[in-house]
């Protein structure tokens, strides 16, 4: 039986990188005899332009019945002045809710060959291999809120089951890696963080005693990620802290184009996407970095299709291409250095799959 994969190319360079990563996914799945039923649907600004809504019901129906969703990007300045409810980003929020996605995963690996691409010193970023796990359904983004002419408030709210669920998810990841988990909070100030710390401590001590658990305040974690990122393994945190710190970690690798992500539900169905935005200034120029999208396909194979060999084949092919000196323009230090187009770099990855 074929796995149902829905692609949501979306806006900006979304179609550019999505099309290239699909080339890789199809090749590796053919080799490993994984049957795919791939269909495309609308989301974001592209959906609004064609249907008047950033998230058509047809897209919801296809995605909720799929085994996995591959997303390109959403948004762009051309939709900045429309009603908030119709903006492209609402499509992404809506599909996350419809699919019940609660865990966002952002792995960050600094390749030895690319340490010079990072704005930080080689000695700082060398050896960095971490995962940020962000809770997606609760926190200040979904709490009670109100705005008047001269006053506004947003409340941060969490139930213990939400914290327990995400901490178990992060702990399972830590067990499969270096058995180190860092829980990030602000327990010296916030009641929600005190609940977070208490629940996390109980989950790990009872169910994952083999893990080394560290609690760290958000301000300290922010500094440590820049000064000694290689000391981290798996980090887990609430929605807002995760939003901020996962963006901070994107600096470590040297380009946002390198990093994949996954947003998963209880069944490990989810949305896989590069963390970069729609980059409207380079649409159609064939210069976007496809690595984030390609590695998102590897995560898709890992989590939703349970095909770790195929996933590792993609990761190894990407690393080999980098080690051979191939770069897209965002990774070259000087404008006159040689670089490959989006499609040409993808072709090198496919060559290295063999």
């Amino acid at each position: 039986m074929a796995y149902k994969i829905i692609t949501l190319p979306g806006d900006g360079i979304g179609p550019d990188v999505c099309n290239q990563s699909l080339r890789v996914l199809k090749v590796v799945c053919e080799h490993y005899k994984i049957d795919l039923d791939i269909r495309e649907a609308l989301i974001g600004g592209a959906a609004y332009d064609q249907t008047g809504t950033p998230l058509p019901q047809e897209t919801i129906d296809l995605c909720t019945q799929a085994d996995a969703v591959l997303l390109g990007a959403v948004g762009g300045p051309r939709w900045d002045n429309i009603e908030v409810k119709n903006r492209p980003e609402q499509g992404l929020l809506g599909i996350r809710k419809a699919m019940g996605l609660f865990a966002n995963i952002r792995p960050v690996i600094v390749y030895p060959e690319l340490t010079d691409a990072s704005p930080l010193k080689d000695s700082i970023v060398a050896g960095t291999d971490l995962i940020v796990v962000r809770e997606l359904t609760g926190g200040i983004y979904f709490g009670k809120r109100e705005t008047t002419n001269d006053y506004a408030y947003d409340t941060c709210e969490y139930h213990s089951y939400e914290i327990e669920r995400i901490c178990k998810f992060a702990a399972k990841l830590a067990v499969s890696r270096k058995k180190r988990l860092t829980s990030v909070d602000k327990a010296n100030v916030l009641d929600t963080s005190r609940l977070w710390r208490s629940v996390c401590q109980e989950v790990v001590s009872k169910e994952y005693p083999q893990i080394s658990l560290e609690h760290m305040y958000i301000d300290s974690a922010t500094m440590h990620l820049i000064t000694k990122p290689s000391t981290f393994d798996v980090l887990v945190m609430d929605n807002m802290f995760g939003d901020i710190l996962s963006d901070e970690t994107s600096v470590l690798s040297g380009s946002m184009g390198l990093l994949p992500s996954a947003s998963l539900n209880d069944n490990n169905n989810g949305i896989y996407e590069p963390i970069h935005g729609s980059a409207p200034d380079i649409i159609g120029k064939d210069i976007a970095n496809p690595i984030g999208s390609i590695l998102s396909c590897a995560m898709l194979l890992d989590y939703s299709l349970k095909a770790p060999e195929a996933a590792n084949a993609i990761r190894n092919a990407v690393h080999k291409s980098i080690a051979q000196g191939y770069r897209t323009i965002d990774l070259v230090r000087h404008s006159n250095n040689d670089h490959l187009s989006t499609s040409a770099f993808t072709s090198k990855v496919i060559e290295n799959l063999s």
Side-chain angles (χ1 to χ4, degrees):
M1 186 177 68
Y3 290 102
K4 294 180 180 178
I5 309 297
I6 303 302
T7 65
L8 305 175
D11 310 319
I13 60 170
D16 300 351
V17 296
C18 220
N19 290 337
Q20 298 306 314
S21 60
L22 278 176
R23 290 174 58 200
V24 177
L25 181 64
K26 289 175 182 177
V27 169
V28 78
C29 285
E30 182 178 358
H31 177 79
Y32 285 94
K33 296 180 172 54
I34 301 170
D35 292 331
L36 302 178
D37 176 10
I38 301 175
R39 305 182 188 183
E40 184 175 316
L42 293 167
I43 196 170
Y48 175 77
D49 289 346
Q50 293 191 41
T51 69
T53 173
L55 184 61
Q57 186 60 46
E58 180 183 4
T59 298
I60 295 174
D61 294 340
L62 285 170
C63 292
T64 53
Q65 295 168 19
D67 293 295
V69 176
L70 180 64
L71 175 70
V74 297
R78 60 180 291 186
W79 299 284
D80 282 351
N81 296 319
I82 63 176
E83 287 184 275
V84 172
K85 66 177 183 179
N86 288 325
R87 289 184 182 173
E89 295 77 12
Q90 296 301 315
L92 181 56
L93 294 175
I95 197 61
R96 283 177 178 171
K97 182 177 181 180
M99 294 179 67
L101 309 180
F102 73 91
N104 178 257
I105 312 163
R106 286 194 182 183
V108 179
I109 296 176
V110 177
Y111 297 103
E113 300 83 2
L114 292 179
T115 54
D116 62 345
S118 174
L120 302 178
K121 293 180 180 178
D122 293 11
S123 58
I124 291 177
V125 298
T128 297
D129 181 358
L130 60 85
I131 296 179
V132 175
V133 179
R134 168 190 172 191
E135 201 286 324
L136 276 182
T137 64
I140 197 167
Y141 294 164
F142 296 99
K144 301 180 185 69
R145 62 185 59 194
E146 184 180 345
T147 302
T148 65
N149 289 336
D150 59 355
Y151 173 75
Y153 69 84
D154 300 275
T155 57
C156 184
E157 301 177 6
Y158 266 107
H159 294 280
S160 59
Y161 77 86
E162 295 172 304
I163 303 170
E164 181 179 350
R165 180 173 61 178
I166 195 68
C167 289
K168 283 183 177 180
F169 186 95
K172 288 178 183 177
L173 274 180
V175 167
S176 67
R177 290 168 53 89
K178 301 174 185 175
K179 297 181 175 59
R180 297 205 313 270
L181 178 63
T182 302
S183 176
V184 179
D185 60 42
K186 191 64 176 172
N188 57 334
V189 176
L190 301 175
D191 283 349
T192 47
S193 281
R194 283 188 276 274
L195 177 64
W196 182 283
R197 182 173 291 207
S198 173
V199 172
C200 183
Q201 183 68 46
E202 183 176 6
V203 165
V204 172
S205 61
K206 285 186 177 181
E207 300 186 38
Y208 305 94
Q210 68 271 48
I211 289 177
S212 173
L213 173 64
E214 174 187 27
H215 298 286
M216 187 174 290
Y217 294 144
I218 177 64
D219 36 0
S220 179
T222 302
M223 292 185 289
H224 278 66
L225 275 170
I226 294 300
T227 56
K228 43 185 178 181
S230 63
T231 62
F232 290 106
D233 184 24
V234 178
L235 301 95
V236 63
M237 60 205 74
D238 75 8
N239 207 339
M240 184 172 69
F241 293 162
D243 190 5
I244 297 167
L245 285 198
S246 60
D247 281 347
E248 182 189 15
T249 59
S250 69
V251 174
L252 301 174
S253 65
S255 172
M256 293 185 74
L258 290 167
L259 303 182
S261 74
S263 298
L264 304 176
N265 59 24
D266 289 312
N267 299 317
N268 278 337
N269 296 344
I271 295 177
Y272 301 86
E273 60 180 308
I275 73 163
H276 59 68
S278 59
D281 55 320
I282 60 171
I283 297 173
K285 294 183 179 180
D286 200 26
I287 61 173
N289 190 334
I291 292 178
S293 188
I294 293 171
L295 292 178
S296 293
C297 287
M299 295 184 76
L300 182 155
L301 288 163
D302 255 335
Y303 291 102
S304 290
L305 273 56
K306 306 300 181 186
E309 287 186 51
N312 285 331
I314 290 178
R315 282 189 278 265
N316 291 338
V318 167
H319 190 184
K320 186 174 181 180
S321 301
I322 293 171
Q324 290 169 339
Y326 299 116
R327 306 282 188 272
T328 46
I329 193 169
D330 56 312
L331 293 174
V332 297
R333 300 192 69 179
H334 306 288
S335 59
N336 59 342
N337 285 11
D338 290 337
H339 60 269
L340 297 182
S341 65
T342 310
S343 52
F345 185 90
T346 304
S347 294
K348 294 299 180 182
V349 173
I350 292 172
E351 287 176 18
N352 284 322
L353 281 170
S354 61

